[in-house]
Amino acid sequence: MASKTSTKDIITLRGSAAIVSEFFGYAANSILYNRGIYPEESFTKVKKYGLPMLLTQDENVKLFLTNLTAQLSEWLESGHLQRVVLVIMSKQTNEVLERWNFSIETDKEVVEKGVSKEKSDKEIMREIQAIMRQIASSITYLPCLDEQCIFDVLAYTDAEVAVPFTWIESDPKLIANPQMVKLHSFDTKIHKVDTLVSYKNDEED
C-alpha cells in the first residue's frame, strides 16, 4: 500500500527571485493592456496563474520587459532590490498620471546564509491571482486615461549596487497630492511584495 505524505514546496533564493521577476513581467503587461497604453490588438491571450493574461506582441516592449525582468531577477537574488515603480505619463507633456509601486522586503538571512524556506506554490499563486485580478479591474477604480500615454520603469536599489549602463539616474516621477489604492500583497517567504497604485487627483485642479 502506497503511503502519502503532505509536502511543502521548498523555495530557494533563486526560485523566489524567478517567481517575483516573472510576476513583474506579467503585471507590467496587464497594466499596459488594462490602462490602454498600447492598442488591444497588439496583445495576445495566454493562461498564467490560473487566469487569462495578456502579453504584448510589440517587439520593442517585449525586449524592454525581457531585459527588465532579467535585471530585476539579478537584483532580487542579491537582495539589493527595494522597489519597482511602473510610471504612466502623458506622451505630450510628460506629466506623471499613475505610479504602480511594488515594494519589496527581502529576508536577509536567506541572502546571507543561503537557507531555504517552505511555502506551497498554490498559496503563492493564489496571492498573485488576487493582485492580477485587481489590476484587471483597475478601470473600475482609476480615472480614464483620455490622452496618449507612455510608460517607464524605475528601480530602487541599495546605494552600493553597480547600475548597468542601460539604466540611467532618474527623478522619482512623483505625483503631487495623489489618490492611492492599496492592492493585495504576495509573499514567497523570501521576498514580500506590497502593491500600491497612486494616481493624479483631478479634483485638486
Side-chain angles (χ1 to χ4, degrees):
M1 183 174 143
S3 65
K4 291 182 179 172
T5 57
S6 172
T7 58
K8 281 243 179 206
D9 295 299
I10 303 297
I11 308 283
T12 63
L13 178 58
R14 176 168 288 182
S16 177
I19 290 168
V20 176
S21 58
E22 183 181 59
F23 159 79
F24 284 128
Y26 279 94
N29 269 283
S30 188
I31 292 165
L32 297 178
Y33 173 81
N34 285 290
R35 302 307 289 140
I37 310 303
Y38 293 97
E40 194 173 334
E41 60 272 15
S42 67
F43 290 81
T44 187
K45 198 175 277 191
V46 297
K47 188 151 189 188
K48 182 71 179 174
Y49 308 120
L51 298 169
M53 300 290 296
L54 288 131
L55 295 180
T56 180
Q57 294 306 291
D58 181 299
E59 290 303 328
N60 290 330
V61 183
K62 273 167 76 172
L63 182 63
F64 176 87
L65 292 176
T66 299
N67 292 337
L68 171 71
T69 52
Q71 183 58 65
L72 295 182
S73 188
E74 199 177 301
W75 281 330
L76 286 159
E77 223 174 301
S78 61
H80 292 314
L81 188 63
Q82 300 167 358
R83 184 183 310 170
V84 179
V85 182
L86 189 148
V87 182
I88 296 175
M89 299 170 285
S90 160
K91 186 172 184 178
Q92 193 173 358
T93 65
N94 266 359
E95 182 186 12
V96 179
L97 304 175
E98 288 178 12
R99 293 176 95 252
W100 292 80
N101 187 84
F102 301 91
S103 299
I104 299 142
E105 282 176 44
T106 304
D107 186 323
K108 294 296 184 190
E109 185 193 22
V110 174
V111 177
E112 288 159 13
K113 300 181 181 173
V115 296
S116 300
K117 297 283 181 173
E118 289 185 355
K119 183 163 182 176
S120 80
D121 286 341
K122 279 185 180 172
E123 202 176 337
I124 295 170
M125 188 171 84
R126 270 200 305 272
E127 291 173 5
I128 291 176
Q129 268 182 354
I131 299 171
M132 293 303 185
R133 285 198 174 102
Q134 285 180 311
I135 294 172
S137 66
S138 60
I139 196 163
T140 62
Y141 57 83
L142 294 175
C144 183
L145 297 173
D146 51 9
E147 61 184 298
Q148 204 172 359
C149 294
I150 54 174
F151 83 101
D152 201 0
V153 176
L154 312 177
Y156 292 73
T157 61
D158 296 344
E160 71 272 15
V161 173
V163 177
F165 71 91
T166 49
W167 289 71
I168 57 170
E169 287 289 329
S170 167
D171 69 273
K173 301 189 189 301
L174 298 173
I175 301 170
N177 303 313
Q179 297 274 49
M180 297 188 189
V181 178
K182 190 173 184 335
L183 306 187
H184 287 295
S185 58
F186 81 94
D187 191 349
T188 66
K189 296 285 192 186
I190 295 174
H191 297 104
K192 181 172 189 243
V193 180
D194 284 309
T195 314
L196 174 83
V197 58
S198 52
Y199 57 94
K200 186 171 177 284
N201 180 8
D202 285 327
E203 290 169 15
E204 294 289 316
D205 293 346

